[in-house]
Each structure stands twice: as C-alpha cells, then as structure tokens.
Amino acid sequence: MKKIVLINILTLLILAAAGIAAYHFYDEATNYVKTDNAKVDGTQLTIASPAAGKLTTFDKQVGDEISKDDTIGEVMTQGADGKPAKMDLKMPQDGTIVKTQATENGFVGAGTPIAYAYDMDKLFVTANIKETDLDGVEKGQDVDVYVDGYKDTTLKGEVEQIGYATASSFSLLPSSNGNANFTKVTQVVPVKISLSKDKSLDILPGMNVTVRIHKN
C-alpha cells in the first residue's frame, strides 16, 4: 500500500512539474519575444582630420571625456596662399574616446579617422529579431535586458524603434540566388531599445546582451 501511495505521489509531482513547465513555455512563447542576438550599441563618433597635412599635436587618450567643439589636436596644412597653416581638430559631439590611431608628426589625409568616441550616456541596445517573431512587437513595450558581463542583473528598457529593413539589406554581399538550389533564410530586423537609467553599470558598446520584450 505504501508503495502504491508513493508511486501516486511521484506521478502527481511529475504531472505538476510538467504542467508548470508547459505553462511557462506557453507564457514565454505568447507574451514575450526573446533573443540573444543583441548587443550594447551607440552612435559612433569619428574624429577625422579636416585637411591633409601633418598631425602636430593630439593629446587625448582612451577614456578621456571631451565636450563638443573642444580642441583635441592640431594639423599643419598648406594654406590657400601656399604657406603653412594650422587647423584645429575639433570634437564633433560630447563623447568618450574609445580608440585612437593618431601618430603625432605623422601625415594624415583629409577625412582620415584619427580617433573614435561614444557618448556613454546615450548607449542603447540593438536586438536582431527574427522576422517570424516580429508580429506583436511594438514601440513603447517594456524590455528586460540581461548583460552577459553582469550576471544576475537585469536592466530595464523600452522598444524605441523597429527597423524598416532587415539587417541583410545592408550587407556588402547580395542575398539573392538565381539557381535552383536557393534556400530561404529567416531574416532578422534590428530593433532599437533605449535603456533606463535606474541602474548604473559600466556597460560598453559591443557588449553581448539577451533581451526579452514584453508583447502585452
């Protein structure tokens, strides 16, 4: 008798666990869109030489926070009268230097990138959502953001913009295939997610994240 009771209890526990798992799967599939094809992103600022010449000074380092229109270097170029002329290298927007490839006293061409920066206060997430999962995703929906580099920490976000073209539309290689062996590939659409400022984390552009969009 005890053995039968134990078997019945185990059966009930297994059925309950299966029911909970099935409900969780249904709830996730119905009310959320989840993907790990996402990363921290931002508007990259390219600091370029205004003219061809010699980069005489560049005194900024990676990590320096610089305000818009601050002078960060100087290029010696040839003026309209043929004489040497100095041109200031200006910061295009507020930002933090994340990479430099400047060599003082080296030659730079007009428009040559010298450094790159991001405004760390305006970072966002770009999530690539499968076209088959896009139905029901709308601007303004809440988003849970899990940053790989910060375990057990959830950031809050909001769907800010849904792309008007798939990510492959910007690929250098065409996706069309004119032969009989064409295989349809599920496309992804970039979705921009703004981040709440309620938690202060040292997130960086390019960090991997997982997002869960609340459809309802």
Side-chain angles (χ1 to χ4, degrees), residues 42-204:
T43 301
Q44 188 181 86
L45 306 175
T46 302
I47 303 163
S49 175
K54 184 169 71 172
L55 182 66
T56 54
T57 61
F58 186 84
D59 57 358
K60 301 302 180 183
Q61 304 294 327
V62 171
D64 287 348
E65 297 180 12
I66 308 170
S67 298
K68 179 182 178 180
D69 293 330
D70 280 359
T71 299
I72 58 177
E74 190 177 78
V75 176
M76 184 67 72
T77 186
Q78 187 175 21
D81 56 1
K83 296 180 180 180
K86 295 180 180 179
M87 297 191 71
D88 290 335
L89 193 60
K90 298 283 190 179
M91 187 71 176
Q93 298 288 338
D94 294 347
T96 300
I97 301 294
V98 297
K99 180 182 179 181
T100 68
Q101 48 196 39
T103 302
E104 287 194 357
N105 296 316
F107 179 82
V108 293
T112 299
I114 295 173
Y116 298 91
Y118 284 90
D119 187 339
M120 296 300 184
D121 293 326
K122 296 181 180 179
L123 297 180
F124 54 89
V125 167
T126 298
N128 294 305
I129 306 298
K130 292 180 181 179
E131 58 183 335
T132 52
D133 294 335
L134 201 60
D135 184 35
V137 175
E138 299 176 356
K139 182 178 178 180
Q141 289 173 331
D142 292 334
V143 183
D144 300 322
V145 179
Y146 311 95
V147 184
D148 287 10
Y150 294 92
K151 299 296 183 183
D152 303 320
T153 300
T154 304
L155 299 180
K156 296 300 180 182
E158 182 179 298
V159 175
E160 183 176 326
Q161 184 182 70
I162 300 173
Y164 285 90
T166 63
S168 65
S169 300
F170 307 100
S171 174
L172 295 177
L173 299 176
S175 58
S176 59
N177 189 327
N179 60 43
N181 298 321
F182 172 73
T183 301
K184 184 182 289 187
V185 177
T186 301
Q187 301 297 310
V188 296
V189 176
V191 174
K192 182 179 179 181
I193 298 168
S194 60
L195 292 171
S196 172
K197 305 297 182 183
D198 60 343
K199 292 183 181 179
S200 178
L201 294 179
D202 294 326
I203 58 175
L204 302 173

